[in-house]
Amino acid sequence: MFALKQKYDNEMKAQLASELNIKNPMLLPKIEKIVISVGAGEYAKDSKIMQNIADTISLIAGQRAIITRAKKSVAGFKMREGMPMGVKVTLRGKQMYNFLEKLIVISLPRVKDFRGVPRNGFDGRGNYSFGLNEQLMFPEVVYDDIMVTHGMNITIVTSTQNDKEAFKLLELFGMPFAKGR
């Protein structure tokens, strides 16, 4: 299932070099990692729900997710040091390409009234972030096994420092960007 990696190596590198006018192949933009994160919010105090969220994200990513903990106590948020804050997983290599292919080909088209991911998710340094409202769009998730529906943030980190180059890279991978602008 490495169709995206093969597509990048065989077709996209040459196309990126000509369209972006890059002579050195080492400077071509590529995806370095994908980070999936979930903020726990009101569920941070319930360890069973936190574990269920971690298990769900692990199932989606194909790699074990970790529960992140608070580094400092913040009285305004009723947060103590060491309390669970959320769940995250960082994907690289094979798992990264598998997840990206599953996201683009299978999961995003399953979203009801999907019109594309927003174009304004770039951070100025070539990284793209967007949020999903629920985890039920992924085929691995069994509805009866989840305790709460939750969203997730997905950040795609590229090797380029330019949003235009990162946009072109993701567009060639087949990321369904929203029409307009």
Side-chain angles (χ1 to χ4, degrees):
M1 196 176 163
F2 299 105
L4 285 183
K5 176 69 172 153
Q6 290 173 349
K7 179 181 177 183
Y8 177 75
D9 289 337
N10 298 335
E11 303 167 21
M12 289 174 48
K13 280 185 176 180
Q15 191 173 351
L16 282 169
S18 66
E19 288 184 22
L20 300 174
N21 199 17
I22 297 174
K23 305 271 187 272
N24 186 349
M26 299 303 284
L27 295 177
L28 288 173
K30 64 178 182 273
I31 297 177
E32 292 183 340
K33 64 183 175 180
I34 296 176
V35 180
I36 306 167
S37 61
V38 178
E42 67 222 36
Y43 305 116
K45 292 179 175 69
D46 191 341
S47 63
K48 287 183 182 176
I49 292 179
M50 287 299 295
Q51 190 58 48
N52 184 260
I53 292 172
D55 293 342
T56 304
I57 296 299
S58 298
L59 194 62
I60 290 170
Q63 179 175 311
R64 186 168 168 264
I66 61 166
I67 296 175
T68 58
R69 303 199 174 273
K71 291 184 171 76
K72 294 196 299 189
S73 299
V74 180
F77 295 116
K78 297 179 183 170
M79 191 58 55
R80 300 291 165 253
E81 184 178 341
M83 283 180 68
M85 295 290 298
V87 175
K88 77 169 187 172
V89 62
T90 302
L91 303 173
R92 290 183 172 87
K94 295 176 190 175
Q95 281 103 350
M96 175 183 71
Y97 284 107
N98 283 342
F99 175 77
L100 187 63
E101 187 168 3
K102 178 174 54 176
L103 179 72
I104 293 170
V105 175
I106 298 169
S107 299
L108 288 177
R110 290 179 65 171
V111 176
K112 184 179 179 185
D113 297 333
F114 182 68
R115 291 189 175 91
V117 293
R119 291 173 176 255
N120 61 356
F122 291 94
D123 66 351
R125 293 187 202 94
N127 304 318
Y128 180 67
S129 298
F130 64 99
L132 299 175
N133 292 334
E134 61 181 28
Q135 76 274 31
L136 299 173
M137 66 200 297
F138 291 96
E140 301 89 356
V141 177
V142 179
Y143 185 75
D144 295 336
D145 293 345
I146 60 171
M147 294 175 149
V148 293
T149 57
H150 57 80
M152 65 187 76
N153 297 318
I154 299 174
T155 302
I156 301 173
V157 179
T158 64
S159 63
T160 182
Q161 295 296 311
N162 183 342
D163 286 349
K164 183 182 145 238
E165 292 177 3
F167 177 80
K168 191 65 186 169
L169 174 70
L170 292 176
E171 191 177 47
L172 289 175
F173 267 120
M175 183 66 78
F177 287 105
K179 302 285 187 252
R181 234 180 75 157

